[in-house]
Amino acid sequence: MSRYANNPQAIQNLIRPTEVHRDVYIDQEVFELEMKHLFANTWIFVGHESQTPNKGDYFTTEIGTKPVIMVRHSDNEIYVLHNRCPHKGTKIAIDRTGNTGKFFRCPYHAWSFKTNGCLLAIPLRKGYKDTGLEESESVHGMAPVGAVKNYRGFIFARLNKEGPDFESFFGESLSSFDNMVDRSPEGRLEVAGPPLRYMHRCNWKMLVENQTDTCHPMVAHESSAGTAIDLWEKMDKPEGTQKPMAMEVIAPFMSPYEFFENMGIRTWPNGHGHTGVHHSIHSDYSAIPGYFEQMVEAYGEERAKAILGENRHNTVYFPNIMIKGPIQQLRLFTPIAADRTLVESYIYRLVGAPDMLLERTAMYNRMINAPTSMVGHDDLEMYERAQEGLHSDGLEWVNVQRLYQEGENFDEIAVENGTTERQMRNQFHAWEKYMTLTMEGDA
Amino acid sequence: MKAPTRDDLIDFVYEEARMLDDGRFDEWLDLWTHDSFYWMPLDYNQEDAKHVTSLLHEDTFMRKLRVERFKGERTFSQKPKTRCHHVLNRPFIDHVDDEKGEYVTHTAFHYVETRLDDQILLAATARHELKLIEGKLKITHKRVDLLNSDAAFGNIQMFL
């Protein structure tokens, strides 16, 4: 029985100011509606332009659960097309990356398409003469998504033709992307290798919420970060030995509550927000020789200092990515089912900067976000326990109350104590908005 | 030990796997030289361990940390503990240099990891670089290539 489709009121009833109903995490109908509405109304990250550097290069991925192809067309622009032959529905490409030359050719009946999706040819076309093919959907070729935006190399798409424009959807939150890209002396990033791929048996929103959850690191990650600090302290080493890069990466996870309280959280309209307004776990990394000089050369001293002085921790772009500007990492949380999420963690090279920065970034990625990561193991353990625990009928609501203030207005930018759950509430406020934006009620 | 025989090299690889299956991690840590690395690439035929992401690239400190973490009271993903099981093909001896005391083996194996009701099976290949030090074979580098290294995994918690 359908409880939520065509019933905006029922969706709204799932979100209260300080708690959310468990159905947002465990109900498969709510999940299907997220794919139909939330993931169609909002701007979703697709890929980076450096993944398709040459004409004909393509990359296959999903927007929510919808398969798409990102491809560089002969005009050098990047297009995002539904990965579906307009004839019988066959996926046109299934390898993750490749070059298709000047056109795509469906492997089933050899219908072919230009790399902007337009129908190029159908074998034995005379069989469609006088059948009205010109009036069919199929004649238009591979359907493009509703809208595409290349923001400083990062490709976003909106499935729906109509909807909020890119700039008003993200607004000032784009400053985190700007800071990440500005850290390259040439103002350019390049993807560095394939992403980590980590399967989670939990709802995608648990992962997104965790990105600004600053009260869990010293608890869930005590076993890795705490043990690392103990080991390092007990190690036989000469006085003044510099901490190895790995310790710089993992030790800050054990920072006390006060550190996280003081780092601050900023929320932007439409569900975006970030931790680390004033400082973060990335603030105290050692300087990499030669890098600052390159930045001064490129930007001048004042601007270089401003760029490198901004050490935001995690920036959530609603609905389903997180970036870390200071280490050029992007994590994509792709929903598969109410209880299944694929997490892909990408890293990028700062073009023109020393390789050692990339070495630290790659180290961070594998140490913290790999399926073989000691830190990732305990996070996944928590999500999966929650996904199972929510099926208990003892309670129906999940608490997001920490540092709640009456009358919170999420249309305004706010900077708060770093342990607030305001950003989680901000996400659910946006969730409700974009779930119901295109939902027509039965009544 | 004088120069190790083929059997000595093969026995070493089998014994290493048995230590992991038995959970004798402290003994296992002693098999390595102080500047050794354990590398598990993310990509098929990956050549660079440092500037693209790997699944694991662990020095002595990181391996020790992993082992100490297994023992911890608040290691939640190890409550209950994971168990593992290796089935090894007979190792190939790819390289022998008795003068330098350096040896390379190549071993195909299947690996099973289990916890609660979950069990995963991975197919992998291990390349051991070994060195004879004070009469004992030690690992200077171990590379583990998963057959499906680019697949999406859940947790893989033990050493392969």
Side-chain angles (χ1 to χ4, degrees):
Chain A
M1 190 184 73
S2 166
R3 287 179 295 163
Y4 294 109
N6 306 319
N7 191 349
Q9 189 59 52
I11 292 291
Q12 284 154 3
N13 289 346
L14 295 171
I15 311 298
R16 294 174 179 169
T18 60
E19 56 189 7
V20 296
H21 192 268
R22 63 174 174 179
D23 277 5
V24 305
Y25 302 103
I26 65 172
D27 188 275
Q28 188 60 23
E29 189 194 0
V30 170
F31 178 84
E32 301 296 340
L33 292 168
E34 287 181 330
M35 297 307 106
K36 183 177 174 186
H37 296 285
L38 177 64
F39 277 74
N41 285 325
T42 52
W43 287 88
I44 307 295
F45 171 75
V46 179
H48 190 265
E49 63 177 10
S50 62
Q51 290 171 271
T52 55
N54 303 307
K55 290 172 185 175
D57 283 351
Y58 65 86
F59 165 67
T60 62
T61 183
E62 283 81 34
I63 294 179
T65 50
K66 317 298 175 195
V68 295
I69 305 180
M70 174 176 117
V71 57
R72 194 177 287 263
H73 185 51
S74 53
D75 61 2
N76 219 21
E77 292 298 310
I78 289 174
Y79 286 70
V80 180
L81 309 170
H82 289 275
N83 190 357
R84 175 211 194 276
C85 183
H87 180 207
K88 302 290 189 197
T90 313
K91 279 168 98 172
I92 298 291
I94 60 160
D95 38 1
R96 292 193 186 114
T97 59
N99 183 291
T100 193
K102 287 199 165 67
F103 60 91
F104 286 112
R105 181 177 183 271
C106 180
Y108 198 179
H109 302 95
W111 285 33
S112 58
F113 313 92
K114 292 182 194 169
T115 44
N116 61 0
C118 291
L119 182 63
L120 189 64
I122 298 175
L124 211 63
R125 188 158 185 156
K126 63 185 180 191
Y128 290 100
K129 193 166 178 283
D130 302 327
T131 64
L133 180 71
E134 288 66 30
E135 280 79 55
S136 74
E137 274 188 339
S138 306
V139 79
H140 301 297
M142 293 168 67
V145 298
V148 177
K149 172 77 183 181
N150 180 343
Y151 187 79
R152 303 201 67 178
F154 291 86
I155 311 298
F156 287 81
R158 193 187 61 218
L159 288 175
N160 282 349
K161 280 202 172 58
E162 307 292 329
D165 65 85
F166 182 86
E167 282 74 15
S168 58
F169 181 67
F170 286 121
E172 289 184 33
S173 74
L174 292 169
S175 53
S176 287
F177 265 113
D178 289 338
N179 182 258
M180 181 156 82
V181 181
D182 288 345
R183 283 169 174 264
S184 152
E186 296 181 23
R188 203 154 54 86
L189 302 184
E190 274 177 5
V191 72
L196 287 164
R197 305 180 71 242
Y198 197 172
M199 193 61 82
H200 285 55
R201 286 180 302 194
C202 69
N203 189 271
W204 64 276
K205 293 186 292 303
M206 288 183 185
L207 279 138
V208 180
E209 282 155 40
N210 184 255
Q211 306 308 308
T212 60
D213 182 321
T214 49
C215 286
H216 86 282
M218 66 298 283
V219 182
H221 303 311
E222 183 186 341
S223 70
S224 45
T227 307
I229 292 168
D230 283 350
L231 262 184
W232 176 249
E233 281 171 357
K234 285 181 195 144
M235 231 168 85
D236 229 357
K237 57 186 180 296
E239 187 99 6
T241 303
Q242 208 197 344
K243 268 191 205 166
M245 209 184 246
M247 273 299 290
E248 282 193 0
V249 164
I250 202 166
F253 282 74
M254 272 313 274
S255 303
Y257 286 112
E258 193 184 12
F259 174 90
F260 289 99
E261 286 193 298
N262 292 337
M263 73 158 57
I265 282 184
R266 179 183 281 123
T267 68
W268 292 288
N270 293 315
H272 318 301
H274 80 97
T275 48
V277 177
H278 311 295
H279 60 259
S280 77
I281 63 166
H282 307 301
S283 298
D284 293 330
Y285 290 167
S286 302
I288 301 294
Y291 175 50
F292 181 67
E293 290 73 13
Q294 288 178 324
M295 289 292 284
V296 170
E297 174 88 5
Y299 295 101
E301 186 166 340
E302 196 182 335
R303 176 102 177 91
K305 280 185 174 162
I307 293 167
L308 299 177
E310 188 80 52
N311 277 295
R312 296 181 183 181
H313 183 168
N314 291 345
T315 299
V316 168
Y317 287 97
F318 185 78
N320 69 327
I321 58 167
M322 181 279 281
I323 70 164
K324 283 181 174 290
I327 61 162
Q328 301 83 52
Q329 185 198 40
L330 182 150
R331 303 184 72 208
L332 170 63
F333 309 107
T334 300
I336 294 173
D339 61 356
R340 195 164 287 254
T341 306
L342 173 63
V343 185
E344 290 179 304
S345 300
Y346 287 92
I347 57 170
Y348 304 92
R349 186 168 76 87
L350 295 170
V351 177
D355 272 354
M356 212 177 182
L357 283 158
L358 184 55
E359 192 178 327
R360 183 161 60 202
T361 292
M363 175 182 275
Y364 187 98
N365 209 27
R366 70 170 181 266
M367 272 177 62
I368 311 300
N369 298 127
T372 38
S373 154
M374 289 176 269
V375 175
H377 291 159
D378 284 317
D379 279 327
L380 178 58
E381 178 75 14
M382 297 309 132
Y383 306 139
E384 292 188 348
R385 287 191 193 196
Q387 192 72 31
E388 291 176 21
L390 286 174
H391 285 273
S392 152
D393 286 331
L395 299 165
E396 290 192 15
W397 295 83
V398 172
N399 187 294
V400 289
Q401 194 155 15
R402 192 174 176 77
L403 293 172
Y404 167 74
Q405 294 161 307
E406 190 137 343
E408 285 177 335
N409 179 359
F410 298 110
D411 293 331
E412 287 174 359
I413 297 171
V415 174
E416 303 284 348
N417 177 308
T419 60
T420 182
E421 289 174 342
R422 181 186 163 106
Q423 170 55 17
M424 300 178 198
R425 298 189 287 275
N426 186 33
Q427 284 160 201
F428 279 110
H429 178 78
W431 184 88
E432 182 186 328
K433 174 177 170 183
Y434 291 105
M435 279 291 275
T436 55
L437 189 69
T438 44
M439 191 182 281
E440 286 175 24
D442 277 340
Chain B
M1 194 192 284
K2 287 179 283 186
T5 64
R6 293 177 64 82
D7 269 354
D8 290 333
L9 295 168
I10 290 168
D11 285 351
F12 180 91
V13 174
Y14 275 108
E15 182 57 28
E16 189 227 341
R18 185 171 174 184
M19 283 181 190
L20 292 171
D21 289 352
D22 290 350
R24 289 183 280 139
F25 297 115
D26 290 318
E27 264 180 81
W28 181 79
L29 290 175
D30 286 339
L31 294 178
W32 299 72
T33 60
H34 72 279
D35 54 353
S36 54
F37 272 90
Y38 178 112
W39 184 28
M40 190 188 288
L42 172 63
D43 204 7
Y44 187 68
N45 287 337
Q46 185 174 331
E47 284 177 7
D48 185 345
K50 285 186 175 176
H51 302 100
V52 290
T53 308
S54 297
L55 286 164
L56 291 169
H57 189 240
E58 308 227 315
D59 61 6
T60 301
F61 179 80
M62 289 301 294
R63 291 192 303 270
K64 172 100 173 144
L65 170 55
R66 217 169 258 276
V67 167
E68 289 304 310
R69 177 180 168 277
F70 287 153
K71 302 173 185 168
E73 274 305 303
R74 289 180 175 168
T75 304
F76 306 112
S77 80
Q78 283 301 298
K79 291 173 103 63
K81 291 219 180 298
T82 297
R83 295 191 292 267
C84 71
H85 181 86
H86 289 73
V87 179
L88 271 54
N89 247 3
R90 176 181 174 279
F92 291 96
I93 313 296
D94 277 0
H95 178 78
V96 172
D97 186 336
D98 284 332
E99 207 153 296
K100 287 188 181 160
E102 290 176 357
Y103 307 90
V104 178
T105 65
H106 174 104
T107 312
F109 66 103
H110 286 185
Y111 170 84
V112 177
E113 188 174 294
T114 186
R115 179 171 178 259
L116 294 167
D117 288 335
D118 290 329
Q119 180 163 296
I120 55 166
L121 168 66
L122 298 169
T125 305
R127 182 179 190 275
H128 287 78
E129 294 176 27
L130 305 174
K131 196 167 173 62
L132 195 63
I133 295 174
E134 293 167 1
K136 279 186 176 164
L137 283 169
K138 298 271 180 184
I139 305 170
T140 56
H141 193 268
K142 179 178 176 182
R143 172 178 174 143
V144 175
D145 281 280
L146 298 177
L147 183 64
N148 61 341
S149 63
D150 55 352
F153 300 108
N155 280 348
I156 302 173
Q157 298 209 50
M158 299 283 112
F159 292 103
L160 268 73

